[in-house]
């Protein structure tokens, strides 16, 4: 079951939704999850998120999204991760900006299915809070919890009624094949 944590009243104009599974600094999320379910005791000693990944990612979210939009109506933070052991660290890093979070044990092997489920559960947290406060957010930005934002992001330029996708993350030109999102975007 999920452990839900409320940290503030959540009066921001924008919402930041962090989702997914955080891994170690030198390991992909899927490889980290494989190690977590491994029967090899040595391999299971350090599964999941590392303190360095949490510090790097949350630091970038705080500086380049939360603080960068403080004078534009503010940002409330929500999180759904598959890292129950890291939940308290993630939540405390955001302090009063963290409105609601759930950090659950991994239900499915990491894949599109598990990530989609994390996004759905996170979105349900945001919607529940919108109903409780009586009005919707102008925009909700959903990011992988381990995504590092390298520069300030002005959310006021992202109007309601639009969906923005980042197509260039982790895409190499040699992987730009027919049927890929990057390929379709360039057509």
């Amino acid at each position: 079951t999920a452990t839900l944590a409320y940290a503030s009243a959540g009066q921001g104009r924008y919402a930041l939704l962090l989702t997914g599974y955080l891994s170690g600094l030198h390991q992909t999320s899927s490889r980290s999850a494989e190690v977590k379910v491994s029967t090899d005791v040595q391999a299971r000693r350090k599964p999941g998120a590392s303190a360095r990944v949490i510090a790097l990612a949350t630091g970038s979210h705080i500086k380049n999204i939360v603080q960068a939009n403080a004078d534009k109506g503010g940002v409330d933070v929500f999180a759904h991760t598959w890292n129950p052991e890291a939940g308290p660290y993630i939540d405390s890093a955001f302090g009063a900006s963290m409105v609601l979070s759930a950090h659950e044990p991994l239900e499915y092997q990491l894949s599109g299915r598990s990530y989609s489920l994390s996004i759905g559960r996170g979105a349900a947290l945001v919607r529940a809070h919108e109903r409780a406060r009586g009005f919707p957010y102008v925009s909700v930005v959903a990011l992988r919890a381990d995504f590092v934002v390298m520069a300030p992001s002005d959310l006021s330029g992202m109007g309601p009624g639009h969906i923005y996708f980042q197509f260039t993350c982790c895409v190499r030109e040699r992987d730009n094949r027919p049927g890929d999102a990057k390929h379709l975007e360039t057509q």
Side-chain angles (χ1 to χ4, degrees), residues 69-89:
N69 291 280
D71 63 341
K72 297 170 184 75
V75 178
D76 292 336
V77 181
F78 297 82
H80 179 277
T81 73
W82 301 119
N83 299 85
E85 72 287 349
Y89 304 108

Side-chain angles (χ1 to χ4, degrees), residues 12 24 45 47 49 57 71 93 96 101 106 112 126 128 134 139 150 162 172 183 186:
R45 293 221 169 140
D71 63 341
S101 67
L106 186 61
V126 174
S139 294
M150 299 300 289
H162 294 86
R172 298 172 296 201
H183 179 81
T186 60

Side-chain angles (χ1 to χ4, degrees), residues 3-180:
T3 302
L4 302 178
Y6 275 100
S8 73
Q11 296 301 313
R13 185 171 178 208
Y14 303 99
L16 172 61
L17 172 59
L18 303 170
T19 60
Y21 182 83
L22 289 90
S23 63
L25 191 57
H26 301 289
Q27 207 169 34
T28 65
S29 294
S30 11
R31 176 63 186 133
S32 183
E34 288 170 12
V35 170
K36 191 171 187 172
V37 297
S38 169
T39 56
D40 179 357
V41 175
Q42 280 294 99
R44 289 186 351 185
R45 293 221 169 140
K46 293 186 179 180
S50 74
R52 290 174 65 191
V53 168
I54 295 170
L56 183 63
T58 59
S60 79
H61 301 149
I62 292 165
K63 178 182 177 186
N64 293 319
I65 296 179
V66 176
Q67 291 174 351
N69 291 280
D71 63 341
K72 297 170 184 75
V75 178
D76 292 336
V77 181
F78 297 82
H80 179 277
T81 73
W82 301 119
N83 299 85
E85 72 287 349
Y89 304 108
I90 295 166
D91 294 350
S92 67
F94 286 99
S97 295
M98 179 62 76
V99 174
L100 186 58
S101 67
H103 304 281
E104 302 179 277
L106 186 61
E107 292 182 24
Y108 301 100
Q109 193 63 24
L110 286 174
S111 62
R113 181 180 184 183
S114 66
Y115 188 59
S116 297
L117 183 59
S118 182
I119 292 170
R121 289 186 182 172
L125 297 175
V126 174
R127 294 297 291 162
H129 187 69
E130 285 178 321
R131 283 190 297 277
R133 75 185 201 154
F135 57 95
Y137 289 100
V138 171
S139 294
V140 178
V141 177
L143 299 176
R144 284 180 50 106
D146 58 1
F147 183 81
V148 175
V149 180
M150 299 300 289
S153 298
D154 180 355
L155 300 184
S156 66
M158 302 173 87
H162 294 86
I163 299 175
Y164 299 87
F165 290 98
Q166 171 62 347
F167 285 105
T168 58
C169 175
C170 310
V171 176
R172 298 172 296 201
E173 283 302 315
R174 69 174 186 243
D175 295 332
N176 188 8
R177 296 181 300 269
D180 288 348

